[in-house]
Amino acid sequence: MNAQPAAPMVLYPQAAAHAAAPAPIGVWRGPVDSRPLVRNMADAIRVCIQKYAQFDGRAGLAEFWYAELAMILAVVAAIFVVWIPILGWIVMLALWLLAMAAIVPSLAVTVRRLRDAGFHWAWIFIALAPFGGIALLIFCAQPSKHP
């Protein structure tokens, strides 16, 4: 009776096949990934301006959240300055112009982010329902469904 010892069970066979290959350093991007590389807030703002009204394609987490953070910081900065008598009116006018100019890019980046997260673009209308904005933020916080 020649009993051979059983081979150990491998949970992730693809990891064992690639164990000899070194791990990638930095941000890994798939060969078919068409999203621009966004490393900081300046890159996100640049991409949002370049894709001003482009609703097709996908937007990564960094592109979406850095663009949202830039808008929030602009509003918070304006709140601190709005109480100054003359400068406050100028800042409020500038904030209003920024809000009007940012409607289309923020809608476009949200639609691209929903598409990247694996949702249909029409889920953007959930923000019109009570507490729908919270649901939309949760949808946008989902990881990418594409390689």
Side-chain angles (χ1 to χ4, degrees), residues 65-85:
W65 289 111
Y66 276 138
E68 291 295 318
L69 180 64
M71 286 301 297
I72 290 170
L73 289 177
V75 170
V76 169
I79 288 172
F80 283 119
V81 179
V82 77
W83 301 106
I84 301 172

Side-chain angles (χ1 to χ4, degrees), residues 12-69:
Y12 302 103
Q14 68 273 14
H18 298 292
I25 298 172
V27 178
W28 183 85
R29 300 186 53 90
V32 294
D33 196 357
S34 63
R35 295 176 297 178
L37 184 60
V38 176
R39 292 189 178 121
N40 53 28
M41 192 179 305
D43 288 344
I45 293 170
R46 179 184 45 81
V47 169
C48 284
I49 290 172
Q50 287 175 348
K51 295 182 172 185
Y52 182 81
Q54 185 177 359
F55 289 86
D56 58 340
R58 298 181 292 130
L61 279 168
E63 179 182 347
F64 175 77
W65 289 111
Y66 276 138
E68 291 295 318
L69 180 64

Side-chain angles (χ1 to χ4, degrees), residues 3 5-6 23-24 61 67 76 85 99 102 106 110 115 121 127 132 135-136:
L61 279 168
V76 169
S106 70
T110 305
R115 187 173 292 121
W121 67 267
L136 184 62

Side-chain angles (χ1 to χ4, degrees), residues 3 16 19 30 33 46 50 61 91 97 99 106-107 139 142 144:
D33 196 357
R46 179 184 45 81
Q50 287 175 348
L61 279 168
V91 168
L97 290 174
S106 70
L107 286 175
F139 285 167
Q142 299 300 313
S144 178

